Amino acid sequence: LLDGSELPEPIFTPATKAEVGLHDENISFTETESVIGGVHARELRRLTLELYTSAREYARTRSIIIADTKFEFGVDPSSGDITLGDEVLTPDSSRFWAKRSWLAGDRRDSFDKQIVRNWLADNWNQVGEPPRLPAEIVAQTQSRYAELVERLTSETV
């Protein structure tokens, strides 16, 4: 596969939720089973792949590629019900690319928070509080998010 190529089929990559400010930690499926039990682990995998596949197929009809995404689930300890929580399929939790840009080999032209990441990488050494984002970076990010919503929904934001 080339950088950015679509995998033959979606994969399930579980992670544990980190403390505020830290990165989530990827874990194996076996570790997932040991944390939440085999039944819940298999159901989380099924739900994750079903949600992603459905969203990916819809986005394709709009010439958008969902390169990856994350879903956050919880299990109600009293009922055992699995609940989808937090944001779902947003530019903060997913990487979206325009199909035409991807075909041209330009995966930097994305509809996600990469604009913010790039600016921070160039302007912050990751020590202490991050600098305030310039208005132009905020506006560029808002514009890309709005364009994604318009492409996916055909509604102007």
Side-chain angles (χ1 to χ4, degrees), residues 71-111:
F71 299 111
E72 295 186 15
F73 294 94
V75 177
D76 183 329
S78 62
S79 68
D81 292 339
I82 295 174
T83 303
L84 179 61
D86 202 17
E87 60 190 318
V88 175
L89 295 160
T90 69
D92 284 343
S93 66
S94 310
R95 292 183 214 277
F96 296 92
W97 299 328
K99 184 177 179 181
R100 72 174 176 271
S101 296
W102 182 86
L103 290 172
D106 185 7
R107 285 171 292 286
R108 293 168 299 146
D109 184 22
S110 61
F111 297 98

Side-chain angles (χ1 to χ4, degrees), residues 42-56:
R42 287 186 295 279
E43 182 63 1
L44 283 178
R45 179 174 55 195
R46 184 193 71 75
L47 288 168
T48 297
L49 295 174
E50 184 178 303
L51 285 167
Y52 172 76
T53 300
S54 178
R56 178 191 66 189

Side-chain angles (χ1 to χ4, degrees), residues 13-89:
T13 54
T16 60
K17 189 71 178 157
E19 296 295 319
V20 173
L22 300 176
H23 291 286
D24 296 348
E25 180 183 341
N26 291 337
I27 61 173
S28 70
F29 188 75
T30 301
E31 289 172 295
T32 304
E33 290 177 306
S34 71
V35 172
I36 62 171
V39 171
H40 280 130
R42 287 186 295 279
E43 182 63 1
L44 283 178
R45 179 174 55 195
R46 184 193 71 75
L47 288 168
T48 297
L49 295 174
E50 184 178 303
L51 285 167
Y52 172 76
T53 300
S54 178
R56 178 191 66 189
E57 295 308 314
Y58 174 78
R60 279 184 177 159
T61 69
R62 304 303 192 143
S63 294
I64 297 290
I65 295 169
I66 303 176
D68 63 33
T69 193
K70 72 174 183 174
F71 299 111
E72 295 186 15
F73 294 94
V75 177
D76 183 329
S78 62
S79 68
D81 292 339
I82 295 174
T83 303
L84 179 61
D86 202 17
E87 60 190 318
V88 175
L89 295 160

Side-chain angles (χ1 to χ4, degrees), residues 101-142:
S101 296
W102 182 86
L103 290 172
D106 185 7
R107 285 171 292 286
R108 293 168 299 146
D109 184 22
S110 61
F111 297 98
D112 53 49
K113 59 187 173 188
Q114 196 61 46
I115 296 166
V116 173
R117 284 186 179 128
N118 291 347
W119 188 87
L120 286 171
D122 291 342
N123 295 279
W124 181 45
N125 65 2
Q126 306 230 342
V127 176
E129 288 290 316
R132 187 172 184 87
L133 293 173
E136 67 200 44
I137 296 299
V138 172
Q140 287 174 11
T141 304
Q142 287 174 324

